[in-house]
Amino acid sequence: MNISILYLFLFLFIKNIFIFADSSNCLYYNPIVNQSYNLSSLKLTPELKYSATFPSTDLSSFSFDAYFNFCNGTVNACTVNGATACQNIGIFQLGSTKIGESVNYTSNGITIVYRSEIFTPITGNNCSGAPEPNRRKTSFLFSCNPNIPTLNVSAPGIEVERCTYEIKIDSSLVCRDCPLNCSQPHGICNRITGECQCDSQTKGKSCELLKIYINSVDSTTINGGTTYIHGYFGNTTSKTLKIIIGDLKCNNIQIYNESTIKCDIGPGEGIKDVLLIDNDLSFVGKQIFQYSKISLSCPNNCTSSSNGICNSDLGTCTCLKGFTGFNCNSKDNTDTDTPSSKPNINETTGEASISNDGSNYKISIYSLVELNFNGSVVNEFLLSNKWNKTNNDSNKINDKGNRIINFSQNISNSTCKIEYSIEEVIGVNKDYSFAGVNFTLSPGSIKLTVSIQNYTYQNTLNSIQLRIKSSLGDNINSINSNSTNCNSKKLNVNTNDFNNDQSLNYLTISKDSKTFYGRFINKVISDGRETFMSTSIVSQQTDSIFIGLNLPHCIKTCLIDPDFSLLVDTDYKTSCDDDDSRPKWFLPVVIAVPAVGMAIIIIIGAVIYKRHRIGIRILKQKIKLENRQ
């Protein structure tokens, strides 16, 4: 650093220190409360004065008045030149600018003390028995009173000890300021404590933080209609409140209470932001409102009418016998000799997996991420391999014969708790219902339930995203390597069925004639209410993919319910002998051609022998004679 700049910095720093300490400018700095006081408005010209009455006490047999000024200002009423304070009896001097002033600080103000010079005791002015012998001392005790613009002597003066006096003064000039003036008009400053009393919509030391938020919004159809918005809105009125969904204004706003608002929205399509404006405050819920389609399409139209039937109310397929999967494109192995899928739970790591023949797919709750308004990560908590099993019975079985393992963990330095359960679906199909969506899981599937409780946001405008990792590995326990080789196909990750306009999102990872499905319901239970939730692809690698479940601003609990399955495709071959990749005529031709060829050879040989049998005999005899010779 340039030395001249350093000197300039030191000069300014020292100058500021002296400004705070220089009482001649009536500036005082209270280090106890980190507050500066400016008492310059108290200083009077010598012709003017403040006064206080001292009644007679045990120490003084007579009453008297004291006249005083501040900031080493003089008072002409005093008989001693340059005195800042004095009494009106004789020449009793209470203070002098020759001594100056000293200051003591308190949490509620300051005490300014003026002392006289040491003097020789005389009759009527004997201070030899004072705490500071032969010296008078007057203390002005300033206390905060926000209602007094300058000062007010709040009580008669007191002679505390011999020649030692106190005058109590109320003034707003020694009151404390609040940070950012409490973000007016959202807070009232307590000038005594220096703390803000915030309104119902803000919080923080200076009322700078929003309390209002939206945690769920009821969907309407594409025709629009009435929607209910839930969250916390404080004390507001419909006259000042505006709600905009997408680019449409919500009309006929009715405020039921501080947590529920009703309004009417016009027609539209897709997923929309919700903007709430109340005077100078605003909150944006990103992608939390959905226009629901009246008729929903099904994935791949359920493959064909022979595979499944589409339920257009839910956008889900009902598979016909022999088929399964979200689009009914997989074999139902209960009626075939195809290998079945086996779910498994790692009770140590909290990781789930599904294996089928040579394939093994793993599922893990990877992390919890807090996102700001722009979608940038402000905090990420890694969750993998940190789960604690909470049910002691590792073989807990429900009424369907499925094993369920419960896990939990607390986010470090936070009150947030995440509970996580895994259910293995074994034996028979099982029906589920979540947030109004009904679905069925086939044997060999994995069902997850995740509850996020009491998450503390860095900002009210932020939201959280739960990230789930799905990865592919080899099944080391595979015993059918022959079928694996026959069904060998490249890895294919398909996210084309990620459509947040539908009730369900699907991730598919295909390899070796087997397909791994991840199903994500576009619903979340936010603080006890069903609401829309979008799903997105965070990142994709060679053998893994990260899915982000975009949750609303849940305060108490976010509850989500994904599931996973590993199913066998319809083109799966149990052995290489079933290789249908060859033409249908291949085997008959391979078998028939050698037989036909042999017959032709025999026939041709017979014809040749018949026509040339005499010559053949003569040739044989000739060969015999030659051999004898």
Side-chain angles (χ1 to χ4, degrees), residues 92 125 171 176 184 219 297 316 346 396 543:
F92 294 168
N125 193 17
S171 175
R176 298 173 62 177
Q184 286 293 319
S219 297
S297 60
T316 58
N346 189 319
K396 180 180 178 182
D543 58 353

Side-chain angles (χ1 to χ4, degrees), residues 48-54 64-69 73-79 83-89 92 94-95 138 140 167:
L48 302 176
K49 58 185 178 296
Y50 299 105
S51 64
T53 300
F54 282 78
F64 59 89
D65 291 331
Y67 303 107
F68 53 91
N69 203 340
T74 58
V75 180
N76 283 348
C78 295
T79 57
T84 301
C86 61
Q87 298 174 4
N88 67 344
I89 298 176
F92 294 168
L94 303 183
T138 303
F140 298 90
I167 298 175

Side-chain angles (χ1 to χ4, degrees), residues 338-548:
T338 57
S340 60
S341 298
K342 181 180 179 182
N344 184 60
I345 304 173
N346 189 319
E347 300 182 23
T348 303
T349 64
E351 186 179 66
S353 63
I354 306 175
S355 59
N356 184 297
D357 198 14
S359 303
N360 186 45
Y361 290 85
K362 297 179 181 180
I363 310 106
S364 64
I365 305 297
Y366 182 77
S367 67
L368 182 66
V369 177
E370 182 175 353
L371 305 173
N372 65 12
F373 173 76
N374 296 318
S376 300
V377 175
V378 297
N379 218 336
E380 181 172 14
F381 302 93
L382 298 179
L383 306 176
S384 293
N385 299 325
K386 296 180 181 179
W387 298 102
N388 300 310
K389 190 176 71 170
T390 55
N391 52 330
N392 294 324
D393 184 6
S394 61
N395 295 314
K396 180 180 178 182
I397 306 297
N398 64 9
D399 57 351
K400 296 292 184 179
N402 301 334
R403 189 167 69 118
I404 301 176
I405 305 297
N406 298 323
F407 301 90
S408 71
Q409 67 174 280
N410 293 310
I411 293 179
S412 59
N413 301 322
S414 174
T415 59
C416 178
K417 182 179 182 181
I418 303 178
E419 294 181 334
Y420 163 47
S421 70
I422 310 174
E423 179 179 356
E424 299 174 342
V425 180
I426 300 173
V428 295
N429 291 344
K430 183 177 178 181
D431 296 328
Y432 294 88
S433 179
F434 179 79
V437 178
N438 299 320
F439 56 97
T440 300
L441 291 183
S442 58
S445 301
I446 286 288
K447 174 72 171 54
L448 306 185
T449 300
V450 184
S451 172
I452 304 169
Q453 305 166 16
N454 302 317
Y455 183 82
T456 302
Y457 298 84
Q458 290 190 11
N459 189 300
T460 309
L461 293 174
N462 293 351
S463 59
I464 52 177
Q465 181 189 75
L466 186 70
R467 293 183 174 177
I468 298 178
K469 178 182 179 181
S470 297
S471 58
L472 169 65
D474 294 328
N475 182 13
I476 60 176
N477 296 319
S478 174
I479 58 175
N480 194 356
S481 59
N482 183 39
S483 65
T484 301
N485 294 331
C486 293
N487 295 284
S488 178
K489 292 182 180 179
K490 291 183 178 180
L491 176 70
N492 178 43
V493 179
N494 182 13
T495 59
N496 295 330
D497 292 300
F498 262 64
N499 182 359
N500 287 314
D501 275 343
Q502 299 293 105
S503 60
L504 298 169
N505 267 325
Y506 294 96
L507 161 72
T508 61
I509 304 177
S510 301
K511 190 177 186 297
D512 299 341
S513 295
K514 292 181 284 291
T515 301
F516 174 77
Y517 298 95
R519 174 165 41 193
F520 307 93
I521 300 174
N522 289 349
K523 295 284 186 178
V524 57
I525 306 296
S526 174
D527 294 340
R529 297 182 183 276
E530 299 176 8
T531 192
F532 173 75
M533 176 193 73
S534 64
T535 310
S536 57
I537 305 299
V538 177
S539 65
Q540 183 175 335
Q541 300 173 0
T542 304
D543 58 353
S544 63
I545 187 169
F546 289 84
I547 308 298

Side-chain angles (χ1 to χ4, degrees), residues 112-174:
I112 300 176
V113 182
Y114 294 102
R115 291 175 172 83
S116 71
E117 295 177 317
I118 295 176
F119 58 89
T120 302
I122 60 175
T123 303
N125 193 17
N126 187 348
C127 291
S128 59
E132 297 184 22
N134 300 319
R135 174 176 285 174
R136 290 181 178 275
K137 181 175 71 172
T138 303
S139 299
F140 298 90
L141 281 64
F142 280 83
S143 296
C144 168
N145 187 331
N147 300 317
I148 306 299
T150 54
L151 66 78
N152 178 56
V153 177
S154 58
I158 300 174
E159 187 174 6
V160 181
E161 296 180 82
R162 184 66 177 173
C163 298
T164 303
Y165 309 95
E166 285 185 357
I167 298 175
K168 293 184 178 181
I169 296 175
D170 289 342
S171 175
S172 63
L173 299 177
V174 295

Side-chain angles (χ1 to χ4, degrees), residues 291-357:
Y291 280 108
S292 299
K293 294 180 179 179
I294 297 174
S295 178
L296 299 176
S297 60
C298 290
N300 197 33
N301 199 26
C302 303
T303 303
S304 74
S305 58
S306 300
N307 293 59
I309 301 172
C310 178
N311 183 337
S312 59
D313 292 333
L314 298 176
T316 58
C317 295
T318 301
C319 297
L320 300 178
K321 185 176 181 180
F323 298 98
T324 187
F326 78 98
N327 60 3
C328 302
N329 190 40
S330 299
K331 290 182 179 179
D332 185 352
N333 57 29
T334 57
D335 296 330
T336 67
D337 57 354
T338 57
S340 60
S341 298
K342 181 180 179 182
N344 184 60
I345 304 173
N346 189 319
E347 300 182 23
T348 303
T349 64
E351 186 179 66
S353 63
I354 306 175
S355 59
N356 184 297
D357 198 14

Side-chain angles (χ1 to χ4, degrees), residues 265-280:
I265 189 64
E269 293 182 353
I271 313 303
K272 306 296 180 183
D273 296 343
V274 177
L275 171 62
L276 184 148
I277 304 173
D278 190 12
N279 290 322
D280 63 326

